[in-house]
Amino acid sequence: MNKSSSESQAEFLERMRKQFDFGPYPRHPIDKAPREDSNELFIHNLATPYYLQHQKTVDTSDKVILDAGCGTGYKALTLAHANPGAKIVGIDLSPHSIDLARQRFAYHDRENNVEFHVLAIEDLPQLGMEFDYINCDEVLYFFDDISRGLAVLRSVLKPTGIIRANLHSLLQRGLYFNAQELFDLMGLMEDDSADLAMPIVIETMKAIKPNTILKQQTWKSFYEDENNENAKEQILANYLLRGDRGYRIKDLFQALQQADLAFLSMVDWRGWNIVDLFQEPGNLPDYLAMGLADSPPEIQLTMYELLHPVHRLLDFWCTHPSSGYSPLPVAEWTLDDWLNSQVTLHPQLRTEVFQKAALEALQQNGPFVISSFLSLPTINPISISYDVAAMLLQLWDGPKPFAVLADFWQRTHPMNLITLEPTTPAAAAQQVADALGKLEVFLYVLPEPIS
Ligand SMILES: C[S@@+](CC[C@H](N)C(=O)[O-])C[C@H]1O[C@@H](n2cnc3c(N)ncnc32)[C@H](O)[C@@H]1O
C-alpha cells in the first residue's frame, strides 16, 4: 500500500488509519509493565542519547516527550517509566489505538502528566508544542518521503532536542517484502480484505513445501494457530503490512541531510561495529584498517550492512546540526580531567535488583556480571570485581565527585598487595579512572566535568 500517484495524502492516511484500527500495534496485554526491561528503558531514557551527545547527564523532570505514532501506547508507557517526571504526549492516526493507549495508562495509574491525540504526524505543528525528546518507533518507513517525515519532527523539536526514529532494513527484510508482494498479487493487500486475508495467508503457507525459501526462512509453526494473538501480530506486521518499505544506510543519511538533521548514533551502536566482524579485531588487514580510520559513520555502517545484514531496523538518534562544539571523549581524559569530574550511575542500573546483586557479590568477594542488568550496549558479558561493584554502590544515592570515589578506593585498598607499599592518592585515582573508563564505554557510568 504505497501511496499511488493518483491518491491524495488524505486518502493515503485514511488507508493507514484503517490498517491500524483493524490491527492495533503492539498487542501487548494491558497489564504488561516495562518496569523490569532495562534494555528498553535504556533506549527510551533521554539520559542515554543526551549523554552520547553532550557527555552530560540530564534531569528529565521538566522535559516534554513525544511518542509519534504511539499505537497502543506500550512504548509511551516505557517512556513514562524511563523518564521520571517528564510529560508524555502520544499521537496516532488510529482512534482505536489511541483508545487502547489511554486505557493502558489508566490501568497503570499513569494518567497524570500525559496526553493523547488522534493526529497525523504531518499535522504535529497544530499542537503548538515543542519537545525535548521525540520517539518515532516503527512508523517512519510508512512515509512516502522519509525526509518529509523527519522534517515535520524537526519542526517541533527543541533546539537541544533529540529524535529517535527507525527504518526497516532493505537488506535484512528482503523475504518479508517478497511475501508482501506475493500476497498483494493474490489480492490480499486491499483495504477490504483485512478480515479474510489472515486465514488465507495461513492456509497458503501451510500448503507450501517446508523447504521453499520463504517458508523455511520466515514461517513459524505457531503462526498456524488462528487464536494466537502473537501469531496474528506477527502476520499483520510482516506478511500483510501495507505501506512497508525497506531502506539502506545511504537512504537514511540522505534523508537526514534533506531534513537538516545530524546523525548522532545508532541506538544499538555496539551491534554495528564493523571491527567486530573480523576474526582478529586487533589485527585487521592494513589496507582496510587505514581506510576505516578515516571513514565517517555512514561508510562504516554501510560496510556493516553489506557484510552482515542482521538488523531488522536502522534504528538511530539524530539532532539539530551541532554548534561545532564536541566534548573531549572520556577515553582521552587525563587524570586531571577525571579529578575535575563527577560520576553518575546510569539510571537503568539504579534499581533494587542491581543493588541487591552487587551487595551479594560483595559479601561473597565474587565477580559481578554487570551486563546481566543492562546488556544492550555490550556484545559479550561484562564482569567486574567485587571491589569495583562496592564503588558503584557509592553512586546509589546519586552522583559523586570523582575525588570522593578515589578517596573511597584508597581507604578500601590501603596498600599495594605486591610491594606492600601504601597506596598513594594518585595511584588510587588512576585505578578508579581506569575502572570507570572501562565502564563508561557501555554508559554504565556517566562521568562529566564539574561545571
Ligand atoms: C507499527 S505501529 C508502531 C506503534 C508504536 N510506535 C510501537 O512501536 O509500538 C505504527 C503506528 O503508526 C501509526 N501511523 C502510521 N502513519 C502515521 C502518521 N502519518 N501519523 C501518525 N501515526 C501514524 C499507525 O496508526 C500505527 O499505530
Side-chain angles (χ1 to χ4, degrees):
M1 181 184 73
N2 295 336
K3 182 171 165 293
S4 66
S5 48
S6 60
E7 190 177 38
S8 71
Q9 182 64 17
E11 285 166 340
F12 175 72
L13 290 180
E14 175 56 14
R15 286 208 286 149
M16 189 62 72
R17 180 195 66 71
K18 274 196 189 147
Q19 166 162 249
F20 286 101
D21 265 355
F22 172 79
Y25 182 94
R27 289 179 182 239
H28 297 329
I30 197 162
D31 59 346
K32 183 171 172 186
R35 208 170 294 118
E36 309 284 293
D37 193 339
S38 60
N39 284 334
E40 281 296 309
L41 292 165
F42 180 77
I43 291 176
H44 289 84
N45 192 330
L46 173 59
T48 304
Y50 193 89
Y51 187 83
L52 285 175
Q53 184 184 17
H54 300 287
Q55 239 168 261
K56 282 197 184 136
T57 51
V58 63
D59 175 6
T60 57
S61 58
D62 60 344
K63 301 293 184 252
V64 189
I65 297 181
L66 171 69
D67 197 12
C70 64
T72 64
Y74 184 74
K75 310 277 174 65
L77 189 63
T78 312
L79 287 164
H81 275 290
N83 298 281
K87 179 185 178 84
I88 308 292
V89 179
I91 66 145
D92 200 284
L93 272 181
S94 146
H96 184 37
S97 302
I98 288 290
D99 268 354
L100 293 171
R102 287 198 177 112
Q103 284 172 30
R104 192 183 293 283
F105 270 64
Y107 181 91
H108 291 272
D109 252 340
R110 286 257 174 193
E111 286 160 298
N112 277 344
N113 227 6
V114 62
E115 50 184 79
F116 287 105
H117 302 270
V118 176
L119 190 75
I121 288 173
E122 290 78 347
D123 296 330
L124 262 172
Q126 286 177 12
L127 280 183
M129 297 174 86
E130 285 198 326
F131 302 94
D132 297 281
Y133 190 37
I134 299 181
N135 186 58
C136 184
D137 193 8
E138 310 269 4
V139 185
L140 193 59
Y141 47 75
F142 292 119
F143 273 73
D144 208 26
D145 173 355
I146 53 172
S147 67
R148 201 172 46 85
L150 285 169
V152 180
L153 298 179
R154 182 193 195 277
S155 71
V156 293
L157 186 69
K158 285 190 185 167
T160 54
I162 299 177
I163 297 173
R164 181 261 179 132
N166 42 50
L167 297 167
H168 269 151
S169 159
L170 182 67
L171 299 181
Q172 189 274 349
R173 201 170 153 78
L175 283 175
Y176 289 114
F177 296 124
N178 293 357
Q180 290 161 14
E181 194 177 329
L182 172 81
F183 293 122
D184 192 25
L185 279 176
M186 289 170 61
L188 300 180
M189 301 290 260
E190 303 304 322
D191 271 356
D192 49 6
S193 62
D195 277 335
L196 293 173
M198 184 95 69
I200 298 177
V201 168
I202 295 175
E203 198 187 7
T204 308
M205 292 303 290
K206 259 173 140 172
I208 288 172
K209 279 187 180 165
N211 61 353
T212 305
I213 295 288
L214 180 66
K215 181 161 179 175
Q216 191 187 55
Q217 294 190 17
T218 69
W219 192 251
K220 306 221 167 51
S221 55
F222 81 90
Y223 293 171
E224 292 168 17
D225 173 1
E226 284 187 39
N227 298 318
N228 184 318
E229 282 297 307
N230 188 13
K232 268 190 211 163
E233 178 172 277
Q234 293 295 318
I235 293 173
L236 285 176
N238 292 309
Y239 301 81
L240 290 172
L241 190 59
R242 299 162 214 185
D244 190 9
R245 282 203 203 156
Y247 292 88
R248 296 277 310 272
I249 288 289
K250 62 181 175 198
D251 303 316
L252 160 59
F253 277 80
Q254 190 183 34
L256 287 175
Q257 194 183 22
Q258 285 168 351
D260 195 19
L261 285 164
F263 176 77
L264 174 61
S265 166
M266 295 309 265
V267 168
D268 172 18
W269 71 91
R270 202 57 193 87
W272 281 90
N273 188 350
I274 184 168
V275 171
D276 294 330
L277 300 180
F278 287 82
Q279 303 193 39
E280 292 181 57
N283 186 22
L284 299 186
D286 286 348
Y287 183 77
L288 186 84
M290 276 178 347
L292 278 183
D294 294 332
S295 300
E298 177 178 354
I299 300 296
Q300 300 210 13
L301 295 169
T302 300
M303 289 172 81
Y304 194 102
E305 73 170 355
L306 290 170
L307 273 169
H308 196 48
V310 285
H311 299 293
R312 177 177 69 83
L313 289 177
L314 312 181
D315 199 359
F316 60 95
W317 281 301
C318 62
T319 63
H320 288 286
S322 88
S323 57
Y325 167 76
S326 49
L328 184 70
V330 170
E332 294 171 28
W333 279 13
T334 62
L335 198 51
D336 273 350
D337 293 322
W338 279 104
L339 284 164
N340 286 318
S341 71
Q342 67 167 15
V343 185
T344 305
L345 193 59
H346 192 286
Q348 256 55 77
L349 291 181
R350 279 181 75 193
T351 63
E352 277 167 23
V353 191
F354 177 88
Q355 186 193 36
K356 191 163 164 260
L359 284 169
E360 270 168 24
L362 209 54
Q363 274 156 9
Q364 291 162 12
N365 289 4
F368 177 59
V369 185
I370 188 168
S371 52
S372 59
F373 301 90
L374 191 52
S375 60
L376 189 107
T378 68
I379 49 168
N380 294 314
I382 307 295
S383 201
I384 57 174
S385 52
Y386 68 90
D387 49 358
V388 175
M391 182 171 66
L392 295 186
L393 284 174
Q394 300 300 304
L395 302 173
W396 178 256
D397 297 330
K400 290 269 180 335
F402 173 85
V404 170
L405 298 178
D407 180 55
F408 171 83
W409 191 265
Q410 193 190 6
R411 284 191 286 128
T412 50
H413 298 75
M415 66 168 74
N416 180 315
L417 293 182
I418 299 171
T419 63
L420 302 187
E421 296 288 324
T423 306
T424 63
Q430 190 59 58
Q431 286 162 22
V432 173
D434 291 346
L436 293 178
K438 284 187 195 138
L439 296 177
E440 190 268 350
V441 173
F442 311 107
L443 303 199
Y444 288 156
V445 291
L446 310 174
E448 61 190 313
I450 296 172
S451 44

